[in-house]
């Protein structure tokens, strides 16, 4: 009979007091804890014992947390890494996700939140190890419903796998037809809310007045035709995930109302006085360049940063033409074949 071993946890931080606090806490929780004051010490340590989960401070003397992450993943691909960042390094932490980090936390944070994140990383690692999806899931896109072996698509598949289990807001950027809703559904399936519905709304499909009612609901008599009170999609998605497609089409007044919900989870129905509170994970998508929209004054900067905690860009097919044969093989039925000349034309 094979006995299960303790989960090996590596803590890398140049703040000795903070590092010690974490080490003592997680030893009490049953982890096999190793400490390192910097990246060099950490890299020497993993030669003796490979960690299952690593907690890496982003800013350290010598090698940064990002540089350590690259070397760690090269030496121990199965190790799940959690980055600890300051307020000014969020953008760098998002880049770390693309390099294979499991997630990141912004200092200061409750230790209970880190504890929960470590357990999720452990569960994710065990799931990947059992299913053997460490390579195949990235190469083929897992259950995203998307196909492709190009580097750009492998990055998309990896980000879906890594970002799905987090509670962070995600912005999916890409031209029409690149598969934004497919990615949103895959993120939801990988999330902790997968047993709840994914609620979808397309901002481009509705006029402003109706869109406000659809998102936030309305009270009876609040406008002509409002014969009864109605729940909005934020209420429907309470405890679940809301996917707002083409969020760049949102009018300025609705942007302000959406920002408030994202800040404190509260809103009022159209024509209502009562505050409603919800717990919703937001995924948004756009075919616009929202950064340019912000600079032009058409999209609120504060809302942009709220929905852009993590950005995931989908490449158009012209940027991944090597995937065309794979797509053709998928869509053609077995009785069809394609000539080399036709393939070259496509």
């Amino acid at each position: 009979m094979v006995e299960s071993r303790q989960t090996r946890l590596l803590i890398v931080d140049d703040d000795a007091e903070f590092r010690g606090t974490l080490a003592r806490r997680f030893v009490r929780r049953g982890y096999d804890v190793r400490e390192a004051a910097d990246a060099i010490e950490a890299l020497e340590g993993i030669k003796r014992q490979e960690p299952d989960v690593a907690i890496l401070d982003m800013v350290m003397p010598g090698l940064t947390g990002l540089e350590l992450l690259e070397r760690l993943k090269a030496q121990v691909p199965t190790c799940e890494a959690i980055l600890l960042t300051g307020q000014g390094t969020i953008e760098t932490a998002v880049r770390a996700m693309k390099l294979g980090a499991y997630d990141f936390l912004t200092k200061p944070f409750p230790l209970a939140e880190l504890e929960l994140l470590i357990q999720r990383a452990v569960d994710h690692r065990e799931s990947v190890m059992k299913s053997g999806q460490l390579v195949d899931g990235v190469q083929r896109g897992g259950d995203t419903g998307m196909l492709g072996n190009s580097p750009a698509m492998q990055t998309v598949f990896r980000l879906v796998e890594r970002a799905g289990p987090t509670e962070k807001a995600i912005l999916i950027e890409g031209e029409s037809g690149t598969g934004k809703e497919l990615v949103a559904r895959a993120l939801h399936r990988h999330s902790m809310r997968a047993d709840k519905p994914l609620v979808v709304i397309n901002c481009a499909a509705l006029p402003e007045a109706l869109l406000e009612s659809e998102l936030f609901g309305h009270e009876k008599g609040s406008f002509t035709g409002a014969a009864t009170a109605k729940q909005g999609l934020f209420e429907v998605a309470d405890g679940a995930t809301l996917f707002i497609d083409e969020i760049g089409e949102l009018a300025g007044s609705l942007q302000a109302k959406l920002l408030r919900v994202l800040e404190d989870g509260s809103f009022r129905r159209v024509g209502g006085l009562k505050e409603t509170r919800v717990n919703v994970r937001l995924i948004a998508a756009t075919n616009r360049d929202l950064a340019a929209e912000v600079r032009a004054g058409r999209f609120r900067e504060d809302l942009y940063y709220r929905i852009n905690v993590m950005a995931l860009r989908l490449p158009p097919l012209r940027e991944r033409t090597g995937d065309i044969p794979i797509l053709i093989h998928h869509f053609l039925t077995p009785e069809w074949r394609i000539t080399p000349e036709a393939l070259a034309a496509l």
Side-chain angles (χ1 to χ4, degrees), residues 313-330:
R313 179 185 177 272
L314 299 185
L317 192 56
R318 64 179 177 275
E319 293 181 7
R320 55 183 187 104
T321 53
D323 288 336
I324 289 176
I326 297 172
L327 295 167
I328 291 172
H329 178 75
H330 174 73

Side-chain angles (χ1 to χ4, degrees), residues 142-163:
D143 60 355
T144 63
M146 304 178 75
L147 298 171
N149 285 327
S150 63
M153 291 308 295
Q154 289 182 36
T155 297
V156 169
F157 301 149
R158 185 166 60 247
L159 281 174
V160 167
E161 183 182 334
R162 301 292 180 180

Side-chain angles (χ1 to χ4, degrees), residues 79-99:
C79 178
E80 299 291 355
I82 298 169
L83 276 291
L84 306 183
T85 81
Q87 289 288 351
T89 56
I90 294 291
E91 185 178 345
T92 307
V94 173
R95 292 211 318 270
M97 298 286 283
K98 295 183 179 181
L99 294 173

Side-chain angles (χ1 to χ4, degrees), residues 247-274:
I247 196 168
E249 307 293 330
L250 207 61
S253 59
L254 295 186
Q255 291 178 29
K257 198 164 183 177
L258 176 59
L259 177 63
R260 186 181 176 205
V261 183
L262 297 180
E263 286 178 337
D264 63 13
S266 68
F267 65 93
R268 295 177 185 173
R269 290 180 179 178
V270 177
L273 299 175
K274 178 184 174 182

Side-chain angles (χ1 to χ4, degrees), residues 45-104:
I46 65 176
K47 293 177 183 177
R48 297 186 294 272
Q49 177 176 288
E50 295 185 350
D52 301 318
V53 178
I55 303 170
L56 312 178
D57 188 30
M58 185 67 77
V59 181
M60 295 181 291
L63 294 178
T64 67
L66 202 59
E67 292 168 323
L68 173 57
L69 172 65
E70 290 186 86
R71 299 194 185 189
L72 173 64
K73 295 298 286 187
Q75 294 184 42
V76 192
T78 58
C79 178
E80 299 291 355
I82 298 169
L83 276 291
L84 306 183
T85 81
Q87 289 288 351
T89 56
I90 294 291
E91 185 178 345
T92 307
V94 173
R95 292 211 318 270
M97 298 286 283
K98 295 183 179 181
L99 294 173
Y102 178 74
D103 207 339
F104 63 89

Side-chain angles (χ1 to χ4, degrees), residues 187-200:
L187 287 165
H188 178 63
R189 284 196 297 273
H190 281 79
S191 76
M192 307 303 290
R193 303 174 184 236
D195 59 333
K196 304 290 178 60
L198 174 69
V199 181
V200 179

Side-chain angles (χ1 to χ4, degrees), residues 23 28 37 70 74 98 162 175 179 210 222 235 237 287 303 317 327:
R28 291 196 298 269
E70 290 186 86
K98 295 183 179 181
R162 301 292 180 180
E175 298 175 16
L210 184 55
S222 56
E235 290 176 80
N287 61 9
L303 177 59
L317 192 56
L327 295 167

